[in-house]
Amino acid sequence: MVIGMNENLLERYELSLERIREVRQEQCLDGNYRTYFERTAAFLLEMADTYEYVKSGKMKQASMEELQAHNKKLYEDVLPENYGTSYANPAYAVKELGEEYGQLLSFLYAELRGLIVFAYEQDLIEMLIRMELFLEIYQTFSCAWEEEKRLPVYEEIRQIIYWFISDYSEPEAEKRLADQLCSNRDFALRIIMESDLEDLRYLYYFGEYITDSELKTAKHLNEMSAEEIKLMADTYTEGYRIGFEVGGKDITKKKTVNIRYALGFERMIRESVRGFEKIGMQSVIYRAGVSAFHNKGVNRIGYFGTSANKQYDYDHKDDQALYLDKQFVNRKLEVLKKAYENLKEEAGAHGGPAVVEIFGETPFVPETKAEALRLSEKQQKLVVEYMSAAGELQNEYIKGDERSFTIIAFPVPPIGDQYEEIFDEIVKINTLDYKLYQTIQQTIIDTLDKAKYVQIKGMGENRTDLKVMLHELENPQKETNFENCVADVNIPVGEVFTSPVLTGTTGILHVSRVFLGELEYKDLEIIFTDGMITSYRCANFEREEENRKYIKENVLFHHDTLPLGEFAIGTNTVAYIAAKKYGIADKLPILIAEKMGPHFAVGDTCYSHEEDSMTYNPDGKAIIARDNEVSVLRKNDSRKAYFNCHTDITIPYDELGELSAVTAEGEILPIIEKGRFVLDGCEELNRPFLS
């Protein structure tokens, strides 16, 4: 079925609503199952009311107080204080409905919660197909009970869910891809460009969960001058443009850019949309996934409000365990290929993402629940297989050597009482003089290019002891191993990076505490042998098995091992001192944290799918370290070359004892000792430590 308005859509919708109203009155199920279906039916009717609330125009006539009350009511069921008795909580669902059906019905309830945003988007078909899923499952339960006083067979319910996901995967794939590529999918864009941003009621028009964080962010941006907002937007849009320029890519071939951001930054985003238009780019702004079709989870990609409950997000990140098998993977790849083919022109004209990250939210340490769905080992391998094939499809239609990106980050109010001051400090950091850093970083690169390998050792309780091998330069006068990275694709300034040689890259990488993708890792240790991960551990959970699962799921992304895809030295000591001053080091995103010490990325190289495109530093030298022993396998079988992940792990300066370049003759050239730069020409980098 094609997703879109058709002749009998409204009739089907009204019939579904009528049947859902009947469900609330029927007595054909006993006990907890009747309660589940009654409560869920009540939620669906509330979504129908919300649809009418938006459609009628009452939403835009409502007061701030009314909008806030309505928003809270929509999300209150999964808020932490209520989650213990929510069917969205698999632990509660299993307790009330039994292990066999609890997971199934918790999945169903979580999927139905997507109706909140569909009601705001006035997307009747997305609402309808989920209502019909609910009714089909309810009918199966009620018939089994009425006819034989029994519950349905578990597999019968699972198959209903399986075929719902499979049958609708084709229209959902094309719809999601269109949302990501087509500027006429403009639900969010119209709110941003047409609303009175001084009237903060507009935040409630998106349908996302809105907290003081979004309201205070928008208020702070409204208090900034037009010049300050333009500086923020220009840094962001220019970084995107310069990324194409530095990479030798023709931006004039591109027509669209995907803006990803957290709600509250609309004033900056509006100015950025205008800035992108000046360089010939139309903005595409799509919502982070809310459905099993959209890979919803803890890490949200798109635009989004505050998560109502990150534990809820975490509990449902592996919901595909209900239906993931080889047949489904093949089906999913088939429909993704068809979607790309149908949107071939739009894909070819897409330039890549421009991301506004946020930081300062309350750190999240998840609870691993036995009742939550978990992928089997076989399913984990299928996920890896799918991600690899989907990555290849993306690169076929949105070519890696033609696209670019940019990322910038700002704090949000939960960072603390000094939010406004911290925000202004981060704006300064994001706009530091890149030419100064470019010169200093070239001094570091010139020393590193003399080395056969780099030796990194921790100090104090940090156990890092790692040797990183470098490529041999055939012509040092014209070649280099390291890219001199200033403020283009990765804002702010401050790193030099390379793709190491894997053979011989061996040792221990250790950090006492780090946040990766919003998840905390305590006492994280990774061991490399010839550049590949051979062991890993952390201290988040009492049981070692849980710690290993946590890392494998969220760092290795279900791969058995990953290579050391990147080694870099961060030089932004200004950011480091600011983090110390405000006590926010544990809240900084990796985008800034990676500039505050050496960092190591596990997964693909920074040149993934662009290895054959020559890149040059400002001094004219060619960057030859674009491949490693794994990525080079693409020449025979690209499925063995890419992992479709890249996770940066930083050792902060105060845990770093030594970072030295070591020549083939064994000469040691110190760059950092005891957390300070000791290489001649880098004195300016130590100045922030003295202030």
Side-chain angles (χ1 to χ4, degrees):
M1 179 176 68
V2 176
I3 289 188
M5 194 63 72
N6 57 49
E7 291 180 359
N8 69 347
L9 175 62
L10 190 57
E11 181 182 356
R12 282 171 55 200
Y13 177 71
E14 290 173 347
L15 287 172
S16 294
L17 277 183
E18 182 180 344
R19 183 71 185 104
I20 290 167
R21 292 188 186 99
E22 293 172 352
V23 169
R24 293 198 67 192
Q25 308 302 321
E26 291 178 352
Q27 305 293 315
C28 59
L29 284 171
D30 282 345
N32 292 347
Y33 290 97
R34 185 173 71 191
T35 302
Y36 170 85
F37 284 105
E38 284 179 355
R39 280 174 55 180
T40 307
F43 172 78
L44 293 176
L45 293 174
E46 185 180 354
M47 294 304 97
D49 290 343
T50 299
Y51 178 87
E52 293 300 326
Y53 179 67
V54 176
K55 182 181 179 182
S56 67
K58 290 181 180 179
M59 176 188 70
K60 293 193 175 181
Q61 297 170 2
S63 66
M64 175 66 86
E65 292 74 21
E66 180 183 325
L67 290 168
Q68 289 176 324
H70 188 255
N71 186 258
K72 184 175 181 181
K73 185 180 179 184
L74 293 176
Y75 288 94
E76 64 182 352
D77 186 54
V78 296
L79 294 176
E81 61 266 28
N82 302 321
Y83 193 53
T85 55
S86 170
Y87 290 118
N89 181 349
Y92 177 75
V94 167
K95 175 188 171 188
E96 295 295 303
L97 306 170
E99 184 174 354
E100 193 168 44
Y101 300 103
Q103 288 182 329
L104 287 168
L105 295 178
S106 184
F107 164 86
L108 174 62
Y109 188 72
E111 183 64 21
L112 295 176
R113 288 195 60 80
L115 267 71
I116 295 173
V117 301
F118 300 137
Y120 275 82
E121 292 175 359
Q122 297 288 280
D123 196 333
L124 206 59
I125 187 65
E126 292 286 6
M127 296 178 67
L128 173 62
I129 63 174
R130 288 163 178 81
M131 288 176 168
E132 290 177 337
L133 172 65
F134 166 79
L135 289 172
E136 184 177 2
I137 290 176
Y138 170 74
Q139 191 67 20
T140 305
F141 268 87
S142 62
C143 285
W145 190 257
E146 283 184 336
E147 294 171 7
E148 302 179 34
K149 293 297 179 185
R150 66 170 179 84
L151 294 173
V153 177
Y154 168 88
E155 185 60 19
E156 187 177 1
I157 302 300
R158 195 192 73 81
Q159 283 292 318
I160 291 173
I161 292 171
Y162 182 97
W163 289 110
F164 168 78
I165 297 291
S166 180
D167 288 348
Y168 283 109
S169 60
E170 182 173 345
E172 288 285 349
E174 183 157 345
K175 179 177 183 290
R176 186 62 170 170
L177 192 61
D179 288 343
Q180 296 170 349
L181 299 177
C182 303
S183 59
N184 62 351
R185 314 287 279 225
D186 58 354
F187 170 78
L189 189 63
R190 282 185 285 109
I191 296 174
I192 294 165
M193 303 307 291
E194 297 173 8
S195 298
D196 175 3
L197 301 185
E198 295 285 338
D199 180 355
L200 298 188
R201 292 184 305 159
Y202 80 84
L203 286 166
Y204 294 93
Y205 301 166
F206 292 96
E208 293 286 313
Y209 182 55
I210 301 300
T211 68
D212 281 348
S213 181
E214 288 79 15
L215 292 165
K216 289 179 180 178
T217 298
K219 181 176 181 292
H220 182 59
L221 265 67
N222 282 340
E223 291 168 350
M224 298 175 73
S225 68
E227 291 75 20
E228 289 172 315
I229 293 295
K230 191 172 189 305
L231 176 62
M232 290 169 59
D234 286 352
T235 301
Y236 173 62
T237 58
E238 270 297 281
Y240 187 81
R241 185 192 65 78
I242 294 170
F244 279 88
E245 185 178 282
V246 171
K249 302 169 184 178
D250 185 359
I251 197 172
T252 64
K253 293 180 179 180
K254 303 299 179 182
K255 297 179 181 178
T256 57
V257 54
N258 167 221
I259 293 178
R260 304 174 185 175
Y261 83 104
L263 297 187
F265 285 84
E266 285 71 29
R267 193 170 173 218
M268 173 192 164
I269 298 302
R270 176 186 282 182
E271 188 65 31
S272 300
V273 169
R274 293 167 177 162
F276 282 124
E277 286 177 350
K278 290 177 182 177
I279 56 175
M281 309 286 283
Q282 296 297 309
S283 295
V284 177
I285 306 178
Y286 66 90
R287 191 188 302 272
V290 298
S291 164
F293 292 105
H294 306 152
N295 298 320
K296 65 178 180 181
V298 176
N299 299 319
R300 292 173 294 169
I301 299 175
Y303 74 85
F304 50 86
T306 296
S307 169
N309 187 343
K310 289 185 179 180
Q311 184 63 50
Y312 162 64
D313 300 333
Y314 191 81
D315 286 343
H316 289 276
K317 68 182 179 62
D318 284 342
D319 276 358
Q320 60 181 323
L322 271 180
Y323 48 82
L324 185 66
D325 59 18
K326 181 65 174 177
Q327 179 182 351
F328 179 72
V329 168
N330 291 340
R331 165 73 172 161
K332 201 172 178 183
L333 289 171
E334 174 190 326
V335 300
L336 182 59
K337 170 77 173 178
K338 185 175 181 180
Y340 269 118
E341 193 61 30
N342 290 340
L343 294 165
K344 183 190 300 184
E345 183 177 339
E346 291 84 352
H350 188 63
V355 183
V356 181
E357 288 191 344
I358 58 169
F359 63 94
E361 296 176 295
T362 302
F364 171 58
V365 180
E367 175 190 353
T368 301
K369 297 178 181 175
E371 299 89 347
L373 288 160
R374 299 286 289 270
L375 297 170
S376 67
E377 286 193 19
K378 184 177 181 180
Q379 287 177 318
Q380 290 177 29
K381 293 184 186 301
L382 287 173
V383 168
V384 170
E385 178 184 328
Y386 172 77
M387 293 301 294
S388 176
E392 290 301 297
L393 273 177
Q394 175 181 283
N395 195 62
E396 178 183 344
Y397 289 91
I398 311 174
K399 299 185 184 303
D401 57 2
E402 294 181 359
R403 67 176 184 263
S404 190
F405 67 95
T406 196
I407 311 177
I408 196 169
F410 297 98
V412 288
I415 201 165
D417 294 339
Q418 295 175 287
Y419 160 66
E420 290 86 357
E421 188 177 337
I422 294 169
F423 191 100
D424 295 343
E425 185 71 23
I426 295 300
V427 171
K428 292 176 185 176
I429 289 169
N430 284 338
T431 54
L432 286 169
D433 180 6
Y434 79 88
K435 291 184 179 179
L436 171 64
Y437 281 81
Q438 189 177 85
T439 300
I440 296 172
Q441 289 174 183
Q442 189 58 55
T443 300
I444 296 172
I445 290 172
D446 290 342
T447 299
L448 290 167
D449 279 343
K450 299 174 184 177
K452 181 177 182 180
Y453 65 89
V454 179
Q455 181 70 49
I456 306 99
K457 294 183 179 181
M459 68 176 176
E461 296 183 0
N462 189 293
R463 301 187 296 274
T464 297
D465 189 351
L466 184 60
K467 176 193 288 188
V468 176
M469 303 302 294
L470 304 178
H471 294 260
E472 183 177 350
L473 302 178
E474 295 181 1
N475 187 348
Q477 300 303 312
K478 295 184 178 180
E479 296 175 343
T480 181
N481 268 315
F482 286 80
E483 180 162 333
N484 192 337
C485 182
V486 286
D488 42 61
V489 296
N490 278 322
I491 303 167
V493 299
E495 67 172 312
V496 300
F497 66 85
T498 191
S499 304
V501 172
L502 299 182
T503 304
T505 293
T506 299
I508 299 170
L509 170 61
H510 172 249
V511 285
S512 59
R513 188 185 188 209
V514 68
F515 288 83
L516 307 173
E518 297 191 25
L519 299 178
E520 179 183 15
Y521 298 81
K522 301 175 182 177
D523 198 26
L524 177 64
E525 179 182 283
I526 299 176
I527 297 177
F528 295 92
T529 302
D530 285 331
M532 303 298 294
I533 295 175
T534 52
S535 180
Y536 46 86
R537 58 171 297 278
C538 67
N540 286 50
F541 307 100
E542 290 185 7
R543 295 174 59 230
E544 191 62 31
E545 181 184 356
E546 282 302 312
N547 288 317
R548 287 183 56 81
K549 282 184 179 178
Y550 185 59
I551 296 171
K552 186 170 184 180
E553 289 177 2
N554 301 299
V555 178
L556 273 71
F557 297 98
H558 303 296
H559 295 281
D560 292 329
T561 184
L562 290 174
L564 182 63
E566 176 195 2
F567 163 64
I569 302 173
T571 62
N572 199 325
T573 51
V574 173
Y576 179 80
I577 294 303
K580 288 288 186 182
K581 175 183 177 181
Y582 295 107
I584 58 173
D586 62 332
K587 296 182 178 180
L588 290 175
I590 194 62
L591 179 67
I592 297 177
E594 70 176 5
K595 315 295 174 51
M596 294 164 33
H599 67 266
F600 310 80
V602 293
D604 295 330
T605 74
C606 294
Y607 301 97
S608 176
H609 294 97
E610 300 180 47
E611 297 90 348
D612 297 321
S613 298
M614 184 57 72
T615 306
Y616 298 87
N617 270 337
D619 65 354
K621 289 186 179 181
I623 302 165
I624 58 97
R626 303 188 307 279
D627 254 322
N628 60 32
E629 294 91 321
V630 174
S631 65
V632 76
L633 297 176
R634 72 188 184 283
K635 296 177 180 178
N636 296 316
D637 186 351
S638 61
R639 292 173 297 179
K640 296 179 179 179
Y642 300 113
F643 299 89
N644 298 288
C645 60
H646 180 98
T647 303
D648 294 295
I649 302 167
T650 301
I651 302 176
Y653 295 122
D654 58 8
E655 293 187 23
L656 182 62
E658 175 194 352
L659 190 152
S660 298
V662 183
T663 69
E665 294 75 28
E667 182 183 2
I668 298 174
L669 307 173
I671 296 173
I672 301 175
E673 289 182 348
K674 296 182 179 179
R676 301 293 183 268
F677 286 86
V678 296
L679 184 66
D680 287 345
C682 297
E683 294 80 9
E684 186 67 26
L685 298 181
N686 292 328
R687 190 178 300 278
F689 293 111
L690 304 175
S691 59

